[in-house]
Amino acid sequence: MSKIFKDYLADFDKKFKDLDFIDKAFHEKELGVVSFASKAKTKDTSGNFSEEYIRTRFIYAVVNSGFFPKEILCIEFNIPKGNNGKALKPDIVAFKNTDWLKVYEEAKANKNFKKLRQNYLVIFETKKNNKSLESAIENQLRPALAENESKERVFGVYFDDKPDVLVFKKIGNSPIRRFDESIELSGSGIINLNYDKRDSLLDFPTYQDFENNNKSISDVTKLTTNALDAIDESAFEDFLAELKRIADKEKPKHSESDLIVEFLTLKVFDEKRSKRDKSNLKFYIEPTEKKSDGLAEKSFRERIDKLYKDARREYVNVLSTPYFSYDSQFRPSNSNEERFLIALVESLQKRAILKAKNESFNQIIFNNFGNDKQKADNGQFFTPIPVVKSIIQMLNPVKGEELCDPCCGICDFPAMAFRHAHRKDEEYPPNASHYYGFDIENNNLKLAELNLVLNGDGGAVLKNMNSISQKLLENGSILKVGEFTTNNFKTETWQHKDDTEKELKKFKIIATNPPFGKGRDLKTGKEGKWDAAKETVELYETYKVKPTPNSKGQITLPKSMDMGVIFLENAYKLLEEGGRMGIILSNSIASISEWENVRKWLIERMRIVALFDLPANTFGETGVATTVIVAYKPKNDEKYLLDNDYEIFIKEVESIGYEVKTVKRTITFRPQFVINEDTFEHTSKLDEDFSSMQYEFQEFLKRQELEIKNAFNIHKI
């Protein structure tokens, strides 16, 4: 039987058990490896093997097993940090070729280390035990990997006296990742490298394996989804900053936001198809396909045109009427937009969007490229993902349950619900047709479809409609504006008075963050204006419930209504019996006397399960204080759930785990970490209350009636 890597480690222990010292001369004589190491003892004062011994033993195994050629290795190589900074001294460096020492001498002579820094392939870091593992990776291995200036990947290996190792990879300015990305833990869009799970020495990559891994992304015509690294937040910020520069220069005809959504949909479709069919990617451009004027050769145009046609069959909302196209002679609809497309392709062709941990890419796109006036006018300050995920976790949707967001924006609630329901799926997720999103802005639905594509599937039901004056019917059609009125429907039930074919579609779950606040009131006669027909507004009971009699007992109907209240009633009436909802409203609706009658109206109809307040900085731009209501709509025979006093889960969230920051002209969500009170350093733990709140909420549910437990699928958590 042939030896395995661990056998060579044992050979070293047997051969050199009586060794007292290790130095440069030992490395070069016994291993044949260039070394700059100083003389060091093989054991510490406690009689345990020293760090130098463990390092040398590992190199002995690497060389004698044939995993790495000794000519490309160096022990204690000084990595120049920049051109003037303090040098780094990793334990071992493996270079890409054997002339590295010559390159090193030339670099020292001319004091330009760029060529040398492009020559690193693998950097090794060792400790004598795992007590300082995280510190070694964060403070030694990570900075050394950051010195690589090649467009290819550089790899890192951490080892100590424990069985097995940790293997990493890095490309460009992206964070380091595990060599096997499946080892990483996901959550809150943060890359968790999961140091507790090691890579087996049985699978330890050889020098050739590392080289081949780089070659897998060197030929763009042979790229596959599996070969690509996930795009990360840092790379995405650079990507958007570059697109902004390109947009400033090229001035595309259509908005950058619309074009980015369209082009990214092509990219995601291409990745999905490559993964499903085990085929090569088509979303690339070869250097020879780019003309001197920045436009593309015919071969690129034919490939992208075919990609448009293939993707259009799956992603109708985005691609049915594309902003950019080629004609029958493969001429671009707009030359500047083709240059914009080429810039995007060049930036992303070696990165995988589908592997990304960050769940906020769509919000970053909207916040950076959306029309500021449109966002302000329509109250489109979308719910940050940590908040969305927290509400979805409380509602706990399972497979088969229909969920709707009647003012969906970019569809974060349905997207996160889909991810939650299919979080344990190992195979390709099924169609998302149980998820519904309605929005008055048609452009939002393009970004919404991309959002759903990024999070698993683009098959949700998306409708361009005004959810206040229009409703989706059970038969799939939409009521026209002017049909949903007191002339046709009953106020209390919203049942059609005459036509049984016009039954409104109802849902098991509604999760939404509607527009609310004084600046976005629904006008109901104020200054003579009505934002919806009076006969439509009168279908909302809260319109007549809100006012209180004056001193003479007279009631004056309100001249405007907070749209949050209108959507609250909309959610209640579109829920199935036995359904549940999560809705974000202004804190004033949940607390001040002006809305007392509306609160009374709600608790007479729904079982309030949870209330939690969010801090004023949650939404970045608005600064508004908000309350989340989680509630259950009892079935006809469960009205007793409303009769007696009952417990409500109440929480005030103080820490949300992120802040909205602008970096490189790019608005993004930056994580906030807990600070160690002893060292005053940031830990790797997010500073957020959502995780503990979820645990407390589950404990709360266990104390509730069986009907509540069943409704929230407490047995399926």
Side-chain angles (χ1 to χ4, degrees), residues 10 13 17 43 53 90 94 123 139 152 175 206 229 238 240 289 316 334 348 388 431 451 488 523 570 653 695 705:
D13 287 339
K17 61 181 179 180
K43 293 183 179 178
Y53 179 92
I123 294 171
N139 300 320
E152 296 180 325
T206 66
D229 288 341
D238 285 347
L240 288 181
E289 292 182 313
V316 178
N334 184 280
L348 291 182
V388 175
N431 188 277
N451 199 5
N488 301 320
K523 291 185 174 63
N570 184 65
V653 174
Y695 173 78
E705 297 91 335

Side-chain angles (χ1 to χ4, degrees), residues 32-244:
V33 174
V34 174
S35 173
F36 296 98
S38 303
K39 187 176 182 179
K41 292 182 178 181
T42 58
K43 293 183 179 178
D44 61 21
T45 54
S46 301
N48 299 314
F49 287 133
S50 67
E51 188 172 303
E52 290 75 11
Y53 179 92
I54 293 168
R55 174 179 63 189
T56 304
R57 178 175 61 179
F58 194 84
I59 285 290
Y60 175 91
V62 161
V63 170
N64 285 279
S65 64
F67 272 43
F68 280 68
K70 59 188 177 185
E71 295 83 4
I72 53 87
L73 294 168
C74 181
I75 297 174
E76 283 201 22
F77 178 76
N78 279 14
I79 290 184
K81 188 172 177 60
N83 284 329
N84 302 306
K86 183 180 178 182
L88 301 168
K89 191 181 284 188
D91 287 302
I92 309 157
V93 176
F95 294 91
K96 292 178 182 176
N97 43 55
T98 56
D99 68 348
W100 66 268
L101 196 53
K102 178 183 176 182
V103 175
Y104 175 53
E105 295 299 334
E106 291 175 352
K108 284 200 301 181
N110 59 32
K111 296 184 179 179
N112 186 340
F113 294 95
K114 182 174 182 178
K115 187 176 179 181
L116 182 70
R117 289 197 292 267
Q118 292 174 340
N119 206 353
Y120 308 145
L121 181 67
V122 188
I123 294 171
F124 300 78
E125 194 63 50
T126 183
K127 291 296 174 188
K128 66 180 180 180
N129 54 53
N130 67 344
K131 292 181 180 178
S132 54
L133 179 156
E134 186 168 351
S135 175
I137 293 170
E138 294 297 326
N139 300 320
Q140 292 169 267
L141 189 58
R142 189 189 292 270
L145 293 176
E147 288 301 304
N148 173 55
E149 289 198 21
S150 168
K151 293 182 179 180
E152 296 180 325
R153 296 184 180 115
V154 63
F155 304 93
V157 176
Y158 168 87
F159 62 96
D160 49 35
D161 63 342
K162 301 295 184 289
D164 304 324
V165 296
L166 288 96
V167 187
F168 303 93
K169 62 183 177 181
K170 186 180 188 300
I171 186 169
N173 67 341
S174 296
I176 65 172
R177 307 293 298 268
R178 293 297 292 267
F179 187 74
D180 177 1
E181 291 180 18
S182 66
I183 291 174
E184 297 172 0
L185 300 175
S186 59
S188 303
I190 306 300
I191 299 172
N192 184 328
L193 295 174
N194 193 11
Y195 297 140
D196 293 334
K197 186 172 176 61
R198 298 197 176 206
D199 299 277
S200 171
L201 277 178
L202 291 172
D203 302 318
F204 184 59
T206 66
Y207 177 76
Q208 193 62 51
D209 291 332
F210 286 122
E211 276 201 322
N212 289 342
N213 191 282
N214 259 336
K215 287 178 181 176
S216 71
I217 61 168
S218 61
D219 185 350
V220 293
T221 67
K222 296 179 180 178
L223 292 175
T224 63
T225 301
N226 290 337
L228 302 183
D229 288 341
I231 192 168
D232 55 85
E233 186 170 304
S234 176
F236 198 71
E237 289 172 6
D238 285 347
F239 158 66
L240 288 181
E242 175 63 19
L243 287 186
K244 284 188 176 184

